[in-house]
Every structure is written in C-alpha cells, then in structure tokens.
Amino acid sequence: LIVNAPGFVRREIRVNTVADQTESIEVPLKPETKVSKKIRVEGLEVTIADEAVFTIDATGQQLSLVEYRNYTREQVRLRAPTLMDFRNIWLDSERRRAFLEDLRKSSIHPELLAEVEGNTEADSYDILAHIAFGAPIRTRSERATAFLNREQGFIQRYSKEARQVILELVDKYRAGGIE
C-alpha cells in the first residue's frame, strides 16, 4: 500500500488482503520538512537557511551544524574505529544501548541530527554511520522492503499467524525504528 498526500512524506507498507473482504487501515503520515526558499539579490541566487547552534553540555561549547557533525564523527570513531566495529556494536542490543547512552552523555543525539538534516525516516544507525563513515543513508521503509524481499524463505517457514506477527513487526519498524 502506498499512501501520500500533499505536504506529507510518502509511505509504503505491506498489507495482506483477503478476497471479498474490506479492511480499514490507519496510516499515520509525517509532515514534510520545509525546503529552504531561494531569493534573488542583485543577480545572485541566495539560499536562506536556519542557523543551528548545538551546545555540548559537559563543556558549554557552542558548535555550528558543521562543527557538531565533525564532533559527532570524532566521538563515534573513538568508540567504534571502523564501520564493522560500529555494526557489531549495533547488532548487540545491550552494547547498542550503552553506546547510545555514552553518546548522549557527550551531547550527541542522533534523532536531533536526523531532524536537522531532514532525514527523519532514517534510523540512528544510518545517521551515525553516514556521519562517521560516509555510509549511504537508507530509510526504515527501504530497509523493511529489502528485508521482505531478501527474507521470503525465512518468513514462509512459519505458520500464517507467525508470518502475520513478523509482518506487523516490520511495519512497526517502518513507523518507529528498532526500539
């Protein structure tokens, strides 16, 4: 099912249908982020953007977005020197929680970065991997679709009820992420 509306982010979800039955599904949509407007000033094209200032709680230091991204890159790489190290931390739920808590103590908030950069549909993993290691950003919807395409054999091994639970979990992930 593909749902879109003017002013909202397009959403795709998997829906199982039954012949001759009508089913209602509520699909919450997130508002689109504002695109900066362009204006002309004496023949020059200028983009007006909001200026964000990030404060590091421990030191009181104030950073621009570029400086905060660099600070985030350094902090993530201190804790996970390679993308593989970062991935291994992320796959272990306890290590992931500790890692994220440690970052928060250093005033790094991936959800805030996602919002400021207009990537609210991406997980914290994708935001941090992109900033620290240059990895491509994938949305939760892209990851869920890839899982469903790649893991059909896995899904089909289970009973109808279990498959339904798996598909519901995938939809919950699309909407809100891994937690």
Side-chain angles (χ1 to χ4, degrees):
L1 175 65
I2 300 172
V3 181
N4 59 12
F8 292 89
V9 176
R10 178 177 177 260
R11 187 126 179 253
E12 286 183 42
I13 60 172
R14 184 181 184 100
V15 178
N16 291 328
T17 59
V18 178
D20 300 324
Q21 281 190 338
T22 302
E23 188 173 328
S24 296
I25 299 172
E26 188 173 320
V27 181
L29 298 177
K30 292 184 179 180
E32 284 182 339
T33 56
K34 293 180 182 178
V35 177
S36 59
K37 296 179 182 179
K38 292 184 179 180
I39 59 173
R40 283 228 178 259
V41 179
E42 298 181 27
L44 297 175
E45 198 168 296
V46 177
T47 301
I48 299 174
D50 292 334
E51 184 175 327
V53 176
F54 300 85
T55 303
I56 307 305
D57 292 335
T59 64
Q61 184 180 12
Q62 293 190 332
L63 305 175
S64 69
L65 177 57
V66 170
E67 292 168 328
Y68 186 65
R69 284 177 55 97
N70 290 338
Y71 172 75
T72 300
R73 178 182 303 108
E74 291 168 9
Q75 293 299 311
V76 169
R77 286 183 167 196
L78 276 174
R79 294 160 177 82
T82 68
L83 182 58
M84 187 56 75
D85 293 332
F86 179 63
R87 185 175 184 277
N88 289 336
I89 289 169
W90 207 261
L91 291 174
D92 181 324
S93 62
E94 289 302 315
R95 289 178 69 200
R96 179 177 61 244
R97 271 192 202 96
F99 180 84
L100 287 171
E101 183 58 34
D102 197 26
L103 288 180
R104 284 186 180 90
K105 287 178 183 173
S106 297
S107 299
I108 295 173
H109 305 278
E111 311 81 22
L112 176 63
L113 276 165
E115 191 169 323
V116 168
E117 297 203 1
N119 289 315
T120 57
E121 292 294 311
D123 259 351
S124 296
Y125 172 85
D126 286 293
I127 296 298
L128 293 173
H130 176 71
I131 290 171
F133 305 104
I137 295 179
R138 293 190 177 90
T139 65
R140 288 186 301 273
S141 186
E142 289 170 333
R143 287 194 176 280
T145 300
F147 170 80
L148 293 173
N149 291 336
R150 185 181 63 243
E151 300 297 339
Q152 280 301 310
F154 166 78
I155 295 168
Q156 293 305 316
R157 281 186 251 167
Y158 294 96
S159 68
K160 179 181 175 184
E161 293 81 14
R163 284 194 304 268
Q164 186 63 34
V165 169
I166 292 169
L167 296 176
E168 289 293 326
L169 287 171
V170 170
D171 284 340
K172 292 279 186 194
Y173 168 77
R174 270 186 219 266
I178 197 166
E179 296 301 326

